[in-house]
Amino acid sequence: WSLIVNGTPLEFESIVANKEREPDVGEVWRPFDILPPVFVEITESFYLSKGENIPVTVRVKANRDNVKGNVVLRSPKGWPSTAAGGKSPTIELTKKGDIVEYTFDLQPQGGPDFVKLSAGFEIDDQKYGSRLVTINYEHIPRQYVMLPAEAHAARVDLKVTSKNVGYYMGAGDDGPDALRHMGCTVTLLDDKDMAAENLRRFDAVVIGIRAYNTKDALAQQQIQLMEYVQRGGTVVTQYNTSYNMVLEDLGTYPLKLGRDRVTDEKAEIRFLKADHPALNTPNKITAKDFENWVQERGLYFPAEWDTHYTALLSSNDPDESPADGSLLVAPYGNGYFVYTGLSFFRQFPAGVPGAYRLFANLISLKM
């Protein structure tokens, strides 16, 4: 605002707001936001192809009445996307809030192995390509954030021999979706499902991140889980913290969690047992599989472990001592137990191909 008072110019800023009525609150003043007529998003953050075409769904949401335009999926050279009829479809949304989804056929024929996809909606000559994220808490004003409608896709030479996998969630991660991308059938397990007899139907069982910090029932279920391993099953347990665990012995043999971590996502990975099946079958793991990792290598690695475990990898941050506990494997009876502090939960949503290949090996371990 600019005013002149008695010949003196004055300027001041004011937040433009509008008044809304909410039944459970009453009158509420909200910041006045100018938003586009349509929001667009790709329904998955990451797509994985082992050579086959990929269905990619774009969701369009109207932010005003009577929206009409064309939905598009942009992909790099070598990754053509085909719309129905060979051309970008025209979509009409009658009312504000209406949602329409359209699926494209993405064809990884050539070009780079890791690419970025972007979606958009064209109204006349205007292009819109943002999704809406709403931040809404009682202690702050509601805020809107516009983010690009993007996703990543990777063409990966990946094999997996364990097709039927049970997944017991901990604090929450994207592991189940990652396994489905690999071609596995995934069953989310409740506490009642953890009996050894029930687990026998699975090729492998994966324990989600921080399950031994957040799931009290594991204190009683551990015996059943280890019995499943002894009978020929494979259990892959992901990272936990050493604080406030529901029980001390989370493996088939004793191991003690420490605080070692590798925060440099480009830190060298050294192979301690390059001939171990977990690094060779069904995918040959090399240094290339540790390229393009995000945020970190891993965290809360075990500091001590029984001699029955084999440590497969070593790494460290600059000027730090080597940490060898990021991936431990132990045969037990007729099966395998794996403990890993590697940050698969960060790599999966980022679409890091090597993380998928290594995890496929871990769940595929068999005598």
Side-chain angles (χ1 to χ4, degrees):
W1 297 86
S2 296
L3 300 174
I4 296 178
V5 179
N6 292 331
T8 301
L10 299 175
E11 294 187 0
F12 64 94
E13 295 181 357
S14 177
I15 297 175
V16 180
N18 64 297
K19 183 171 65 176
E20 300 178 4
R21 285 186 174 275
E22 297 186 359
D24 56 338
V25 179
E27 290 186 356
V28 180
W29 286 92
R30 304 285 191 194
F32 185 80
D33 295 285
I34 299 176
L35 299 173
V38 66
F39 307 120
V40 186
E41 65 177 335
I42 302 175
T43 56
E44 301 281 346
S45 63
F46 172 70
Y47 297 89
L48 183 147
S49 170
K50 293 178 284 184
E52 73 280 7
N53 291 358
I54 311 170
V56 177
T57 300
V58 177
R59 180 179 297 128
V60 181
K61 182 177 181 179
N63 194 40
R64 74 179 188 198
D65 294 343
N66 301 317
V67 172
K68 181 179 180 180
N70 298 93
V71 60
V72 296
L73 178 67
R74 303 179 186 91
S75 53
K77 185 177 180 180
W79 290 70
S81 59
T82 303
K87 62 180 181 179
S88 180
T90 298
I91 290 178
E92 296 186 48
L93 299 102
T94 305
K95 295 292 185 182
K96 179 179 179 179
D98 284 354
I99 296 175
V100 172
E101 293 186 350
Y102 188 86
T103 301
F104 292 83
D105 187 41
L106 183 66
Q107 304 163 27
Q109 299 174 355
D113 290 332
F114 188 75
V115 300
K116 182 170 69 175
L117 312 173
S118 61
F121 194 81
E122 300 176 349
I123 302 175
D124 298 326
D125 294 329
Q126 188 68 42
K127 299 178 181 180
Y128 301 94
S130 297
R131 59 186 177 93
L132 179 69
V133 176
T134 302
I135 302 173
N136 194 14
Y137 296 100
E138 291 184 0
H139 61 286
I140 60 173
R142 184 176 61 201
Q143 301 175 58
Y144 296 114
V145 179
M146 304 295 295
L147 297 176
E150 296 177 345
H152 288 94
R155 181 177 48 243
V156 182
D157 178 14
L158 181 147
K159 302 178 183 67
V160 59
T161 57
S162 287
K163 297 295 186 179
N164 188 19
V165 180
Y167 204 100
Y168 184 78
M169 277 289 190
D173 57 71
D174 294 317
D177 286 339
L179 290 166
R180 293 185 185 103
H181 282 309
M182 294 180 201
C184 300
T185 298
V186 182
T187 301
L188 294 180
L189 302 174
D190 293 323
D191 294 341
K192 61 180 175 56
D193 302 320
M194 298 295 281
E197 283 298 324
N198 181 61
L199 296 178
R200 288 184 68 180
R201 62 194 174 104
F202 298 112
D203 298 321
V205 172
V206 178
I207 308 299
I209 64 170
R210 296 184 54 237
Y212 286 89
N213 301 123
T214 60
K215 298 289 187 176
D216 292 337
L218 273 176
Q220 287 73 47
Q221 295 160 345
Q222 185 72 359
I223 294 176
Q224 297 289 322
L225 196 59
M226 296 304 103
E227 183 179 338
Y228 161 74
V229 177
Q230 191 171 36
R231 292 181 177 183
T234 299
V235 167
V236 179
T237 298
Q238 299 177 83
Y239 103 93
N240 292 268
T241 69
S242 56
Y243 175 73
N244 199 26
M245 294 178 60
V246 299
L247 79 166
E248 288 295 322
D249 295 325
L250 50 75
T252 48
Y253 300 102
L255 61 83
K256 181 179 179 181
L257 297 185
R259 299 184 64 84
D260 284 346
R261 63 193 303 162
V262 178
T263 60
D264 183 355
E265 68 269 25
K266 297 181 180 179
E268 179 190 7
I269 297 290
R270 297 174 292 275
F271 288 36
L272 301 177
K273 295 288 183 180
D275 59 346
H276 193 280
L279 299 177
N280 290 275
T281 305
N283 305 289
K284 176 65 176 178
I285 303 301
T286 69
K288 183 177 176 60
D289 290 297
F290 293 94
E291 294 178 359
N292 301 313
W293 281 49
V294 298
Q295 190 162 337
E296 62 191 357
R297 290 300 193 188
L299 66 171
Y300 289 99
F301 301 156
E304 301 174 16
W305 53 88
D306 188 271
T307 56
H308 287 88
Y309 291 101
T310 300
L312 301 185
L313 304 173
S314 179
S315 186
N316 55 272
D317 282 324
D319 301 321
E320 296 286 341
S321 300
D324 296 347
S326 64
L327 180 56
L328 304 177
V329 180
Y332 183 69
N334 295 316
Y336 276 102
F337 174 81
V338 178
Y339 185 87
T340 179
L342 293 172
S343 295
F344 288 103
F345 69 101
R346 300 199 192 281
Q347 314 315 314
F348 286 153
V352 178
Y356 280 80
R357 284 166 43 84
L358 177 55
F359 206 83
N361 282 15
L362 299 182
I363 63 171
S364 298
L365 279 169
K366 292 297 177 187
M367 288 291 186

